[in-house]
Amino acid sequence: MIYEAVFKAKSETDRNFDIVYYLGKEGSDYCIESRIEGKTDFETVFLGSCGIEKSEKAIKILAENSVRPLHIEDIILDMRF
């Protein structure tokens, strides 16, 4: 897998950890991997062959809203990706 972009949601007053989001590409398919910084467990959601622009838009929304890794799949499904 090739990582196309990395985004980070910095810690805030109600959340004392950073969340890291990785946009990956394998062939023509994209996915988003997310983890809490310092942890080794990843949550992954597959986006399919939606293109780089749509994939980056989705990952930016996740990072801007500090979506926790456990919830990234639900958010992507709600976006009707």
Side-chain angles (χ1 to χ4, degrees):
M1 179 174 314
I2 298 170
Y3 290 104
E4 299 281 327
V6 178
F7 292 84
K8 185 182 281 192
K10 292 288 195 178
S11 63
E12 299 173 347
T13 54
D14 65 330
R15 180 178 45 82
N16 64 350
F17 52 86
D18 296 346
I19 304 171
V20 185
Y21 308 89
Y22 300 90
L23 179 60
K25 182 178 181 187
E26 191 165 325
S28 62
D29 293 330
Y30 290 88
C31 72
I32 296 174
E33 293 180 346
S34 179
R35 68 175 172 85
I36 294 173
E37 194 162 64
K39 304 280 184 175
T40 57
D41 296 342
F42 280 87
E43 292 291 330
T44 304
V45 62
F46 293 94
L47 305 176
S49 58
C50 58
I52 189 72
E53 290 179 13
K54 195 169 184 180
S55 299
E56 283 185 347
K57 182 178 178 181
I59 202 169
K60 286 178 185 177
I61 289 170
L62 296 174
E64 288 170 355
N65 291 287
S66 304
V67 176
R68 286 172 167 74
L70 183 63
H71 301 294
I72 64 172
E73 185 173 17
D74 292 335
I75 299 298
I76 294 296
L77 288 173
D78 287 348
M79 293 171 68
R80 306 210 189 283
F81 222 83

